[in-house]
Amino acid sequence: MNETNALDPEDLKIVTLARSARARNGVPEGAAVRDETGRTYVAGSVHLASLKLSALQTAVAMAVASGATSLEAAAVVSEAEGIAPEDRAAVRDLGGAETPVLLAGPDGAVRLTLPAGENG
C-alpha cells in the first residue's frame, strides 16, 4: 500500500528532505525529523571507524544539539524493510512513544508508519 498520497504536507516534506539527504550524500539511508516548533533536521548515516550512527540517530542528535525539546514526526528513506529498534528508541527518547516514524523507499513512497514506541 502506498501511504504517500495520504500524508500531511509537513510529513511529505520530511520524507522529501530525507530522500534528498540520501541521494546528495550517497549514503544507504537519509532521515529527517521535525521538532515541536516545526524546525527540521536532516541527516545521512555516519560510518566512521570510531563512530557509526544511523541517519535517524544522527537527525535526532542534531535536533537535541540544536535545543529541540520534543519531536512531532520522523522519516527514514532506506531500502530496509523495517525501522530498527534503536532508531525508534532515539525518536521515543525525544518525542515520546506516540511520535510517528515513517519509512519510505528510495523512490520516496512511504511503506510503513509506526509510533516510535511500537515494534516493527
Side-chain angles (χ1 to χ4, degrees), residues 4 6-17 32 34 72-75 100 102 110 113:
T4 305
L7 283 184
D8 168 279
E10 291 300 312
D11 289 345
L12 185 56
K13 176 182 173 183
I14 61 172
V15 170
T16 300
L17 289 169
R34 184 176 62 250
E72 291 182 348
L102 295 80
V110 175
T113 302

Side-chain angles (χ1 to χ4, degrees), residues 18-116:
R19 186 176 180 214
S20 295
R22 181 180 183 270
R24 179 179 56 251
N25 298 325
V27 291
E29 61 183 19
V33 299
R34 184 176 62 250
D35 74 9
E36 74 282 0
T37 68
R39 289 180 299 182
T40 56
Y41 306 88
V42 182
S45 46
V46 175
H47 293 281
L48 301 172
S50 63
L51 179 65
K52 295 201 184 336
L53 294 172
S54 71
L56 193 49
Q57 290 170 330
T58 305
V60 170
M62 291 172 64
V64 170
S66 297
T69 58
S70 184
L71 294 178
E72 291 182 348
V76 179
V77 172
S78 172
E79 292 184 13
E81 293 299 317
I83 303 165
E86 56 272 17
D87 286 352
R88 291 190 319 278
V91 172
R92 187 173 55 248
D93 286 349
L94 185 57
E98 297 304 313
T99 306
V101 182
L102 295 80
L103 174 64
D107 62 356
V110 175
R111 299 189 309 242
L112 179 65
T113 302
L114 292 175

